[in-house]
Amino acid sequence: MSHLLHRSVNGAYPVAVGGKGVMLFDAEGKSYIDASGGAAVSCLGHGHPDIVAAMHAQIDKLAYAHTSFFTSEPAEELAEHLIARAPKGLSTVFICSSGSEAIEACLKLARHYFIEKGESRRTNFISRRQSYHGITVGALSVGGRMKDRAPFKEMLLTGHHIAPCYAYRDQRTDETPEQYGLRVADELEAKILELGADTVAAFVAETVVGATLGAATPAPGYFKRIREICDRHGVLLILDEVMCGMGRTGTLHACEQEGIAPDLMAIAKGLGAGYAPIGAMLVAGKIVAAIRQGSGAFPHSQTYNGHPLACATALAVQKVIERDDLLANVRLQGAHLERRLKERFGNHHHVGDVRGRGHFWGIELVADRASKTPFEASLKLNARIKQAAMARGLMVYPMGGTADGVSGDHVLLAPPFIADAAVMDTIVERLGEAVDAAIADAL
């Protein structure tokens, strides 16, 4: 019996012992295509020699120095690299160890910013239903993934939620994509006015929704309207690009494709490609200026902020992505993956939608295509698909509750940026077999 507290205390997990490129290997000698990048993390695949070398070089010099005493060269260099490529207006980086920590930092800094400005009534945060922003108490409080919130609801801060941008289920037949996007964006203004504009600190959203909705992309014009509403009411825009950012959708930041810049942005996962735990918050210059003119302090820190080894690792990851022009490969092979997914699942009796961008794609499973009726949650179809895929040497990221937080299933794909067309073909072939086998087993 394992002494580890696993995600499922009654489950048995294969033991991962190695990895190379897009493949992972277990202790029994079986190999798996990592078509989900773990959880959209392993953007460079496994065992990349340049990253391993950079980690060795850094640990030989300095592994750790607490940020209350020192800064470090890797942290400073990583921050400089990120800001040189950041959306307009972002000027400063706070480095932490995970996406949840990055979101926590965003929430606390947003609140602190308004305290510095003398607007202490701004305590409310708005997000969207069917959103996921992390598993810590603060992140759960703003998140809209109700099944995760339910066990801890008495502990959570008050969260305010508006509709997601989820065209597959919510766009009306009499609306264009643009009209739909503006309609659901305008819910933000209604909620701000309902709460009182002088009480709202920030709106939090994933640019492309990952775990809860399976790579749901925003409608045209949606985020430009969101940006306008935030500006009109003095509300900060926090973009959660923990999963969809750092090249995953074909541009370094997913918001580049929306033509906007946030006030605060959380990144992680692809930042360090899984080689070291790291996340970061990118901060607009106006926020830093307010602090400099006020208390001069950000009252938030954690032991591993700015960890030198993690920073050196992330910097090496980002340099390899840029050197090898891997974002061009994401766009090229992402288009190939889209074609193959639509060929395989476009007319599938139980696939209602294929959606995504770059190396970030999802398929939504339905019991009936015409009515979009989801499978019964009790069937646990998403778990069956994961099991069937693993049996075929494929790792995918399935999730339940897609339609309404309880019912509905999707499968998320987030293959490494190094994947070629042959790998994409194999992913789609094995996924197709897994989906068909799981549905046959469930029914």
Side-chain angles (χ1 to χ4, degrees):
M1 181 178 291
S2 174
H3 293 286
L4 276 176
L5 184 61
H6 289 287
R7 289 171 180 246
S8 172
V9 296
N10 296 319
Y13 296 85
V15 178
V17 296
K20 185 174 179 61
V22 301
M23 307 300 295
L24 275 172
F25 312 108
D26 71 18
E28 303 300 317
K30 187 171 182 177
S31 61
Y32 307 82
I33 297 176
D34 189 359
S36 62
V41 176
S42 300
C43 58
L44 290 185
H46 304 276
H48 196 294
D50 292 355
I51 311 307
V52 173
M55 296 178 75
H56 275 294
Q58 181 58 42
I59 205 165
D60 285 342
K61 292 189 291 186
L62 174 69
Y64 174 71
H66 197 277
T67 52
S68 67
F69 298 96
F70 297 100
T71 186
S72 70
E73 290 180 354
E76 296 289 348
E77 290 173 10
L78 177 61
E80 182 177 355
H81 182 97
L82 292 174
I83 292 304
R85 294 153 182 80
K88 184 178 180 180
L90 300 179
S91 69
T92 310
V93 180
F94 176 85
I95 300 169
C96 53
S97 300
S98 72
S100 292
E101 290 180 24
I103 288 292
E104 292 283 335
C106 287
L107 300 177
K108 292 179 76 174
L109 184 52
R111 170 61 179 160
H112 185 61
Y113 168 68
F114 286 114
I115 291 174
E116 295 279 19
K117 290 187 65 183
E119 298 181 43
S120 59
R121 281 174 50 82
R122 290 187 184 265
T123 59
N124 289 316
F125 290 82
I126 302 170
S127 66
R128 302 183 293 188
R129 296 186 295 276
Q130 291 295 84
S131 64
Y132 178 71
H133 298 295
I135 208 68
T136 52
V137 169
L140 274 178
S141 295
V142 296
R145 192 166 157 182
M146 298 309 171
K147 67 176 183 176
D148 288 340
R149 290 167 54 91
F152 310 104
K153 61 183 179 181
E154 292 83 4
M155 298 170 56
L156 301 181
L157 305 172
T158 301
H160 305 282
H161 302 96
I162 62 172
C165 193
Y166 183 16
Y168 171 64
R169 291 197 175 274
D170 296 342
Q171 183 179 330
R172 299 194 306 248
T173 56
D174 63 345
E175 289 178 311
T176 65
E178 291 81 4
Q179 289 170 334
Y180 165 68
L182 296 181
R183 174 170 64 82
V184 291
D186 284 343
E187 286 197 22
L188 174 59
E189 186 153 41
K191 180 61 72 173
I192 289 172
L193 294 176
E194 174 192 326
L195 295 170
D198 64 342
T199 73
V200 179
F203 175 63
V204 188
E206 295 170 88
T207 313
V208 177
V209 183
T212 51
L213 292 182
T217 57
Y222 173 82
F223 270 110
K224 285 190 176 179
R225 178 64 67 88
I226 291 290
R227 179 73 269 183
E228 292 168 3
I229 293 168
C230 288
D231 289 342
R232 186 156 55 246
H233 297 288
V235 171
L236 296 179
L237 175 57
I238 301 173
L239 288 185
D240 178 348
E241 295 207 354
V242 168
M243 184 173 269
C244 67
M246 302 313 294
R248 176 58 57 191
T249 64
T251 52
L252 187 61
H253 303 293
C255 62
E256 294 176 45
Q257 296 172 57
E258 306 308 315
I260 64 156
D263 301 299
L264 294 161
M265 182 159 65
I267 58 175
K269 297 187 186 290
L271 175 60
Y275 288 88
I278 190 166
M281 169 179 65
L282 276 58
V283 185
K286 68 178 183 181
I287 295 175
V288 178
I291 295 172
R292 285 202 176 109
Q293 293 162 15
S295 69
F298 175 35
H300 173 75
S301 64
Q302 291 164 306
T303 301
Y304 295 115
N305 289 159
H307 193 280
L309 178 59
C311 290
T313 304
L315 182 61
V317 167
Q318 297 309 307
K319 285 183 174 179
V320 166
I321 289 172
E322 197 166 276
R323 181 197 70 194
D324 295 348
D325 199 15
L326 290 180
L327 298 191
N329 190 62
V330 170
R331 294 188 290 272
L332 176 66
Q333 299 305 334
H336 180 75
L337 178 59
E338 177 183 7
R339 287 193 298 272
R340 294 291 289 112
L341 286 170
K342 289 181 176 178
E343 288 168 1
R344 180 63 176 83
F345 296 108
N347 294 310
H348 194 288
H349 291 304
H350 295 296
V351 175
D353 195 27
V354 178
R355 53 183 177 253
R357 287 179 184 169
H359 280 203
F360 202 44
W361 284 87
I363 61 169
E364 182 167 347
L365 289 302
V366 290
D368 179 73
R369 278 172 61 99
S371 65
K372 303 182 183 179
T373 303
F375 284 94
E376 290 292 332
S378 61
L379 293 175
K380 297 182 179 179
L381 180 62
N382 61 90
R384 293 173 187 266
I385 292 172
K386 180 180 180 180
Q387 184 178 18
M390 289 284 281
R392 290 162 174 77
L394 181 69
M395 295 164 56
V396 297
Y397 194 106
M399 190 62 63
T402 314
D404 56 13
V406 178
S407 299
D409 303 90
H410 71 260
V411 177
L412 188 66
L413 297 175
F417 298 175
I418 59 174
D420 60 18
V423 168
M424 296 303 196
D425 290 342
T426 305
I427 288 171
V428 174
E429 178 184 342
R430 293 184 185 180
L431 177 60
E433 293 174 358
V435 166
D436 290 344
I439 292 173
D441 181 58
L443 300 180

